[in-house]
């Protein structure tokens, strides 16, 4: 965030840039799956 | 042959039933009693409430799933629990006929979700009040209709006031209300009506982005970022006004009465409002063998089931005692009774509670989200399977160990939708394990906004319905 209470222009660009967001989609899926699945071992 | 009875078929009860059916269904009797014959995928009711998803896309019939999983299904509302040894049973009322049904059990899982306590705030709610709710499917449908009627008024040029948030000083589930306010904003934008609406977030949280879990904190590029700033940026970006530290005390036609931390009293006008009510436990009767009321051995005064947590610790002590949070969700007085999901009694709040000078406690109750409810449902089911097969429980998971991932959608379009992806570990801060001031794993915890979140939310809808239908590979999908 450019200051504490606003998103910068660059941040907004990346939020909507589809190719980057596809990368984030893969990364977030892997991250969430790997930490969530650990619960099954409890 | 052991008899296991599950009350409720939501995130917690249905998850428990699937694991119980899978583990024990062939040799033992697993029964689910639910007052609805469908499973409801609650998170998507946010989309129902703005008219973006058909209600029938969020539900499916339970019985065909249970038939495949060796689980008996009883379409009835549970009323009484008789927990004393040698004659343990639940009395229910069959939906449609009103016929009394008696179900004996050796193990009982209480998972009926919350009682939506609209009467806790005079004038609140869609039935006897002036506000709306998305906490049940009929409510979400009614909310949609009222919202679309409001849009028609705006199309004719009328300017309106929309208030969304919490409708009781002790309400929880701020995440759902947050998602709804953002979806309303996005929908109005698409309809070209955003300039006709003044939208206000009104909540009992100590700070924006608290969500009843003391906020979310992450470390990015070496700097700690907090959900407070993040959600402020979202609201500023969307032109949504906000007022936190506020407990709603009464609602009248078109006006909400509240008190804040300073003890000031005020009113806020509205044309359309969706406020989450206080949650209580379902009002079952707990009856001993001699006909006496044994509820104090099973539930707290709010009706939530007492389990293996340490109750009564003052907040400063509780916030430093991760082991006060229950691990196995087993009632200490009746050890064959377990509670899962919203039904279990948490040992106290996660967010810092506050009482103002008028003695009004403004304190969000701890959320037991879908993921938390599902995890508890599985832990309880596996432990009951353990008890039946080996006599010893081997599973446990406290909320101070659990991870939660929440995707708060901001519109459902796969092209220009958006969502905030929130990951936190653990849900309840563990200040012994994570020695930073937040008690969280700042590396795993995550806050991010982007179109990818909208894709995830969409994917989760179908993935979870797949899982809850117990289709191929369902156990590989985390809760
Ligand atoms: C609009 C909305 C959006 C949400 N979004 C998210 C999200 O994105 N992610 C997330 O993790 N969580 C989300 N949540 C929270 C999540 O839905 C709840 O945490 C979860 O539903 C709780 O599960 P449960 O099984 O305890 O209760 P429920 O899901 O409410 O299930 C209880 C079941 O018991 C049945 N029942 C009730 N009384 C009786 C009775 N007397 N006899 C028999 N059966 C009975 C009910 O009909 C119901 O089927 C959201 C909540 C709402 C309201």
């Amino acid at each position: 965030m450019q200051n504490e209470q606003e998103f910068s222009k660059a941040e907004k660009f990346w939020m909507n840039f589809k190719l980057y967001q596809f990368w984030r989609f893969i990364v977030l899926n892997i991250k969430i799956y790997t930490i969530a699945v650990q619960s099954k071992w409890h | 042959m052991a008899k296991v009875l599950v009350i409720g078929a939501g995130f917690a009860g249905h998850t428990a039933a699937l694991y119980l059916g899978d583990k024990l269904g062939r040799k033992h009797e697993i029964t689910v009693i639910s007052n609805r014959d469908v499973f409801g995928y609650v998170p998507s009711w946010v989309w129902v409430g703005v008219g973006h998803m058909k209600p029938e896309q969020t539900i499916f019939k339970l019985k065909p799933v249970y038939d495949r999983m060796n689980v008996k299904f009883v379409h009835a509302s549970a009323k009484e629990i008789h927990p004393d040894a040698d004659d343990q049973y639940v009395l229910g009322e069959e939906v449609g006929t009103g016929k009394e049904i008696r179900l004996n059990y050796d193990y009982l899982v209480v998972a009926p979700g919350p009682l939506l306590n609209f009467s806790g705030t005079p004038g609140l709610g869609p039935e006897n009040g002036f506000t709306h709710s998305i906490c049940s499917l009929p409510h979400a449908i009614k909310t949609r209709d009222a919202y679309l009627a409001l849009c028609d008024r705006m199309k004719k040029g009328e300017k309106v006031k929309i208030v969304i948030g919490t409708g009781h000083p002790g309400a929880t589930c701020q995440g759902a209300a947050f998602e709804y306010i953002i979806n309303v904003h996005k929908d109005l934008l698409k309809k070209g009506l955003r300039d006709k609406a003044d939208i206000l977030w009104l909540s009992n949280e100590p700070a924006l982005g608290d969500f009843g879990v003391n906020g979310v904190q992450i470390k990015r590029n070496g700097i700690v970022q907090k959900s407070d700033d993040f959600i402020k940026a979202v609201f500023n970006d969307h032109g949504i006004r906000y007022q936190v530290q506020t407990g709603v005390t009464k609602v009248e036609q078109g006006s909400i009465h509240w008190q804040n931390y300073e003890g000031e009293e005020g009113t806020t006008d509205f044309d359309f409002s969706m406020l989450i009510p206080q949650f209580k436990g379902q009002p079952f009767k707990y009856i001993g063998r001699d006909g006496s009321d044994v509820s104090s051995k099973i539930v707290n005064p709010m009706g939530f089931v007492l389990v293996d947590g340490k109750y009564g610790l003052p907040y400063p002590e509780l916030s430093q005692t991760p082991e006060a949070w229950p691990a196995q969700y087993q009632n200490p007085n009746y050890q064959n009774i377990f509670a899962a999901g919203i039904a279990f009694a948490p040992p106290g709040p996660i967010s810092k509670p506050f009482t103002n000078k008028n003695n009004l406690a403004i304190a969000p109750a701890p959320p037991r989200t879908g993921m938390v409810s599902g995890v508890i449902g599985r832990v309880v089911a596996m432990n009951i399977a353990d008890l039946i097969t080996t006599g010893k429980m081997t599973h446990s998971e406290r909320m101070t160990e659990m991870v939660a991932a929440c995707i708060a959608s901001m519109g459902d379009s796969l092209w220009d939708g958006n969502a905030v992806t929130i990951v936190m570990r653990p849900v309840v801060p563990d200040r012994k394990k994570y020695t930073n001031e937040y008690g969280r794993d700042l590396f795993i915890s995550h806050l991010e906004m982007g179109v990818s979140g909208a894709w995830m939310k969409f994917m989760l809808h179908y993935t979870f319905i797949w899982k809850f239908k117990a289709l191929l590979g369902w156990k590989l999908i985390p809760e």
Side-chain angles (χ1 to χ4, degrees), chain B residues 7-13 33-36 42-43 46 76-78 111-114 134-135 173 176 179 282 284 340-342 368-371 373 457:
Chain B
I7 303 178
F11 273 70
I33 170 173
S34 173
N35 58 4
R36 294 187 321 173
V42 183
V46 171
S77 179
I134 48 168
C135 296
C173 215
E179 218 182 319
Q282 295 290 351
F284 297 138
I342 292 175
R368 280 81 91 202
T369 61
M371 193 163 177
S373 302
K457 187 80 187 179

Side-chain angles (χ1 to χ4, degrees), chain A residues 1 4-5 7 12 15-16 18 21-22 24-25 28-29 31-33 35-36 38-40 42, chain B residues 19 229 232-233 236-237 378 395-397 415 423 443-444 446 448-449 451-452 459 475-478:
Chain A
M1 283 172 282
E4 289 200 335
Q5 305 182 358
F7 293 115
K12 284 190 188 171
M15 280 174 196
N16 291 300
K18 304 289 182 296
Q21 286 297 316
F22 184 62
R24 296 308 301 159
F25 178 73
L28 285 171
N29 263 305
K31 177 168 179 168
I32 292 174
Y33 187 82
I35 52 171
Q38 289 171 25
S39 160
K40 301 239 184 205
H42 279 259
Chain B
Y19 281 99
D229 294 329
K232 237 177 235 166
N236 287 343
D237 195 55
R378 173 174 41 78
H395 299 268
S396 73
E397 196 164 346
W415 182 248
V423 181
F443 176 70
I444 290 291
H446 193 92
E448 178 173 334
M449 187 160 122
V451 186
S452 58
M459 185 193 76
K475 275 191 285 178
L476 297 174
I477 302 169

